[in-house]
Amino acid sequence: MVTPTQGDPDRALVRLSLDERSYDIHITTGEVSRFAECLIGSIPDLSHAIVVADQAVSDLADQIAAGLESQESGIRASRRDVPSGEPSKSIEQFESLLQWILSVGGDRRSVVVAVGGGVIGDLAGFVAASFARGIRLVQVPTTLLSMVDSSVGGKTGVNLPAAKNMVGAFWQPSLVLIDTEVMSTLPQRSYLSGLAEVIKYGVIDDSPFFAWLESNATALVDRNGIALQHAIERSCRSKARVVAEDERETTGRRAILNYGHTFAHAIEANAGYGKLLHGEAVAIGMQMAAQLAVRLQMADSTLLQRQTELIEACQLPTRYDGADPDKMIPVMMRDKKVAYGKLRFVLPTEIGVVELVGGIDEADVRAAIESAS
Ligand code: GLY
């Protein structure tokens, strides 16, 4: 049974407070047809929308563009689709979009509307950050992963052939529009992988939410709308809180959002990109991080036990059989988060509390990897 939540069950509003760059995250169920109206009401002087979409959600983008043009507001909408998948996060695609925006008469008052998952949000976000030295951006995430992570917080960018997310900018959106129903066509495996990031917020920031997840895991796996909307709202609240405290990842606070990710990036590289979904690697990475915390006597084994059970209840993996410390540790040393050649990890001390810890012996890291392999 889903524990009822307070307020209007069909909508929630989360505010990310960043002085003049503050913005709202709207979380709804079944209100996609009102996206255009919401955009017009929230974005001042909207005259030209540049709607860039993942080709898999082209219909949704068409619907938003048509809605904008039909409001008798004189708004012009330009539409473009980008192929699905990580290869689209490239300098070539970035340049091509900039050229296209110029060709459709984009100017400093145009607004980019990014419709899709993390690839489109990052790519179109970086285009918005760069065109005419920066134009407004609206994120319309369509995967669970992008709803609870990449669409919020302003990280944008593209990959270089040898380095993911190596080129980019912090560029906050002016608005984020989330509706749980746009995920109806998302494959179950991709959907479940997004739950790993949801669990992450419980461990790093919100112990009552972790307990709520323990009671509602089945409802989430079954995509119960009320449970899902609540999980997205709580995740976005945590993310908004952390980003408001450390927008540009300078104090170490924002780094807590990378719980499990140093291991996860190395697992993805070890497995070969595309074998495991990002959220699956994050689930295993969180297990390795929790194992490391227990090994260093920073956390007791109950924490690991509860995390393991929740990850399993969300039908996500807790181990990767092929994990090889000899392959993973060199990848981890190249991670952007490595400071002065020393590995640093986000480690939990209790559910809802994490610390950034450096100077850990390689032997302990090895043991943590082996314990989840
Ligand atoms: N995905 C981590 C961050 O936004 O900082």
Side-chain angles (χ1 to χ4, degrees):
M1 205 182 83
V2 182
T3 316
T5 56
Q6 288 172 342
D8 184 341
D10 290 333
R11 53 173 45 242
L13 194 67
V14 175
R15 179 98 178 142
L16 202 156
S17 300
L18 283 170
D19 300 321
E20 75 287 353
R21 295 183 314 293
S22 300
Y23 53 95
D24 287 331
I25 304 157
H26 292 248
I27 306 155
T28 57
T29 300
E31 295 202 11
V32 170
S33 59
R34 292 178 60 193
F35 272 4
E37 193 186 318
C38 186
L39 258 156
I40 293 167
S42 309
I43 305 290
D45 306 321
L46 176 57
S47 56
H48 180 211
I50 297 163
V51 185
V52 179
D54 185 311
Q55 65 184 21
V57 286
S58 181
D59 289 353
L60 171 63
D62 287 343
Q63 188 186 342
I64 295 170
L68 288 172
E69 289 190 314
S70 72
Q71 302 271 332
E72 292 176 5
S73 50
I75 294 171
R76 191 162 64 84
S78 304
R79 272 280 291 114
R80 170 110 160 202
D81 285 340
V82 171
S84 306
E86 194 71 22
S88 283
K89 246 177 87 170
S90 65
I91 296 276
E92 292 74 24
Q93 192 62 251
F94 167 71
E95 187 193 349
S96 158
L97 282 171
L98 291 173
Q99 299 280 11
W100 167 70
I101 293 175
L102 198 59
S103 75
V104 295
D107 63 25
R108 299 191 82 167
R109 286 179 311 137
S110 302
V111 177
V112 171
V113 180
V115 184
V119 167
I120 295 300
D122 285 8
L123 169 69
F126 187 40
V127 166
S130 310
F131 188 81
R133 296 201 185 89
I135 59 176
R136 289 170 295 173
L137 167 69
V138 174
Q139 293 275 13
V140 183
T142 58
T143 63
L144 184 55
L145 205 73
S146 58
M147 289 176 184
V148 298
D149 185 22
S150 56
S151 68
V152 174
K155 282 191 179 174
T156 71
V158 295
N159 302 326
L160 291 180
K164 275 185 82 159
N165 293 328
M166 196 36 88
V167 180
F170 285 99
W171 192 251
Q172 298 294 343
S174 304
L175 175 71
V176 182
L177 293 177
I178 296 174
D179 193 284
T180 58
E181 287 192 354
V182 306
M183 283 190 291
S184 57
T185 54
L186 188 68
Q188 182 70 351
R189 187 174 166 203
S190 305
Y191 167 77
L192 292 176
S193 114
L195 289 180
E197 298 280 357
V198 172
I199 295 170
K200 176 190 82 177
Y201 292 111
V203 181
I204 66 170
D205 182 58
D206 191 346
S207 114
F209 179 46
F210 189 94
W212 181 90
L213 287 170
E214 290 177 311
S215 308
N216 291 278
T218 311
L220 284 174
V221 168
D222 294 343
R223 305 194 191 201
N224 174 291
I226 297 172
L228 189 47
Q229 191 177 305
H230 181 68
I232 295 169
E233 179 190 345
R234 289 291 279 262
S235 300
C236 288
R237 278 197 197 287
S238 281
K239 176 129 194 195
R241 224 174 359 247
V242 173
V243 171
E245 286 168 23
D246 180 22
E247 183 187 7
R248 290 179 172 244
E249 209 163 318
T250 46
T251 67
R253 181 72 182 145
R254 185 164 179 162
I256 73 167
L257 297 171
N258 293 314
Y259 174 53
H261 285 60
T262 303
F263 286 110
H265 294 148
I267 293 165
E268 286 175 290
N270 181 179
Y273 285 106
K275 282 254 174 55
L276 286 166
L277 297 182
H278 178 64
E280 293 168 344
V282 168
I284 302 163
M286 291 194 294
Q287 287 296 96
M288 291 178 179
Q291 293 272 7
L292 185 53
V294 172
R295 195 178 165 79
L296 298 175
Q297 297 184 331
M298 289 176 57
D300 67 41
S301 57
T302 324
L303 179 147
L304 176 61
Q305 181 70 20
R306 286 180 70 192
Q307 182 181 278
T308 308
E309 284 170 11
L310 181 54
I311 290 174
E312 283 172 354
C314 291
Q315 300 182 2
L316 285 161
T318 52
R319 51 180 57 247
Y320 172 55
D321 288 342
D324 179 352
D326 289 330
K327 288 192 181 140
M328 283 176 58
I329 290 173
V331 178
M332 291 158 92
M333 295 301 291
R334 291 199 296 272
D335 195 291
K336 286 205 289 295
K337 311 284 179 304
V338 169
Y340 311 111
K342 291 260 187 264
L343 280 169
R344 288 188 306 168
F345 291 93
V346 178
L347 299 181
T349 53
E350 57 188 273
I351 297 287
V353 184
V354 284
E355 285 178 11
L356 198 54
V357 187
I360 296 173
D361 275 353
E362 195 179 303
D364 289 318
V365 178
R366 249 170 209 282
I369 293 172
E370 280 160 0
S371 64
S373 63

mmCIF file of all heavy atoms in Angstrom, residues 149 152 155 239 249 254 257-258, ligand 1:
data_model
loop_
_atom_site.group_PDB
_atom_site.id
_atom_site.type_symbol
_atom_site.label_atom_id
_atom_site.label_comp_id
_atom_site.label_asym_id
_atom_site.label_seq_id
_atom_site.Cartn_x
_atom_site.Cartn_y
_atom_site.Cartn_z
ATOM 1 N N ASP A 149 17.733 13.733 -11.456
ATOM 2 C CA ASP A 149 19.131 14.132 -11.382
ATOM 3 C C ASP A 149 19.497 15.198 -12.418
ATOM 4 O O ASP A 149 19.568 16.392 -12.112
ATOM 5 C CB ASP A 149 20.038 12.897 -11.510
ATOM 6 C CG ASP A 149 21.499 13.242 -11.312
ATOM 7 O OD1 ASP A 149 21.792 14.282 -10.698
ATOM 8 O OD2 ASP A 149 22.377 12.482 -11.777
ATOM 9 N N VAL A 152 17.965 18.889 -13.143
ATOM 10 C CA VAL A 152 17.986 19.856 -12.041
ATOM 11 C C VAL A 152 19.434 20.133 -11.652
ATOM 12 O O VAL A 152 20.216 19.193 -11.516
ATOM 13 C CB VAL A 152 17.230 19.266 -10.815
ATOM 14 C CG1 VAL A 152 17.352 20.171 -9.603
ATOM 15 C CG2 VAL A 152 15.779 19.005 -11.169
ATOM 16 N N LYS A 155 24.031 21.374 -14.577
ATOM 17 C CA LYS A 155 25.223 20.831 -15.254
ATOM 18 C C LYS A 155 24.856 20.534 -16.706
ATOM 19 O O LYS A 155 23.892 19.806 -16.969
ATOM 20 C CB LYS A 155 25.700 19.547 -14.570
ATOM 21 C CG LYS A 155 26.479 19.816 -13.300
ATOM 22 C CD LYS A 155 27.161 18.562 -12.800
ATOM 23 C CE LYS A 155 27.960 18.851 -11.531
ATOM 24 N NZ LYS A 155 28.519 17.637 -10.936
ATOM 25 N N LYS A 239 18.019 17.298 -4.070
ATOM 26 C CA LYS A 239 18.979 17.831 -5.044
ATOM 27 C C LYS A 239 18.981 19.362 -4.988
ATOM 28 O O LYS A 239 20.043 19.992 -5.013
ATOM 29 C CB LYS A 239 18.647 17.329 -6.450
ATOM 30 C CG LYS A 239 19.578 17.943 -7.482
ATOM 31 C CD LYS A 239 20.234 16.983 -8.408
ATOM 32 C CE LYS A 239 21.380 17.659 -9.155
ATOM 33 N NZ LYS A 239 21.843 16.927 -10.302
ATOM 34 N N GLU A 249 30.042 23.169 -7.160
ATOM 35 C CA GLU A 249 30.835 22.066 -6.610
ATOM 36 C C GLU A 249 32.197 22.553 -6.123
ATOM 37 O O GLU A 249 33.231 21.976 -6.450
ATOM 38 C CB GLU A 249 30.990 20.978 -7.688
ATOM 39 C CG GLU A 249 31.133 19.598 -7.093
ATOM 40 C CD GLU A 249 30.878 18.488 -8.103
ATOM 41 O OE1 GLU A 249 29.934 18.589 -8.895
ATOM 42 O OE2 GLU A 249 31.636 17.512 -8.068
ATOM 43 N N ARG A 254 28.298 19.618 -2.945
ATOM 44 C CA ARG A 254 27.616 19.042 -4.118
ATOM 45 C C ARG A 254 28.194 17.669 -4.461
ATOM 46 O O ARG A 254 27.506 16.825 -5.046
ATOM 47 C CB ARG A 254 27.703 19.994 -5.321
ATOM 48 C CG ARG A 254 26.906 19.483 -6.503
ATOM 49 C CD ARG A 254 26.630 20.524 -7.561
ATOM 50 N NE ARG A 254 25.877 19.925 -8.648
ATOM 51 C CZ ARG A 254 25.177 20.582 -9.556
ATOM 52 N NH1 ARG A 254 25.130 21.905 -9.509
ATOM 53 N NH2 ARG A 254 24.526 19.941 -10.513
ATOM 54 N N LEU A 257 26.431 14.270 -4.093
ATOM 55 C CA LEU A 257 25.511 13.713 -5.096
ATOM 56 C C LEU A 257 26.184 12.598 -5.890
ATOM 57 O O LEU A 257 25.529 11.862 -6.626
ATOM 58 C CB LEU A 257 25.040 14.808 -6.059
ATOM 59 C CG LEU A 257 24.228 15.950 -5.422
ATOM 60 C CD1 LEU A 257 24.008 17.062 -6.433
ATOM 61 C CD2 LEU A 257 22.888 15.430 -4.909
ATOM 62 N N ASN A 258 27.490 12.495 -5.745
ATOM 63 C CA ASN A 258 28.224 11.449 -6.474
ATOM 64 C C ASN A 258 28.405 10.189 -5.634
ATOM 65 O O ASN A 258 29.276 9.372 -5.939
ATOM 66 C CB ASN A 258 29.589 11.986 -6.924
ATOM 67 C CG ASN A 258 29.415 13.059 -7.969
ATOM 68 O OD1 ASN A 258 28.644 12.901 -8.904
ATOM 69 N ND2 ASN A 258 30.090 14.172 -7.781
HETATM 70 N N1 GLY B 1 24.740 14.555 -10.985
HETATM 71 C C1 GLY B 1 25.524 15.174 -9.991
HETATM 72 C C2 GLY B 1 25.338 16.650 -9.919
HETATM 73 O O1 GLY B 1 24.415 17.178 -10.512
HETATM 74 O O2 GLY B 1 26.111 17.314 -9.282
#
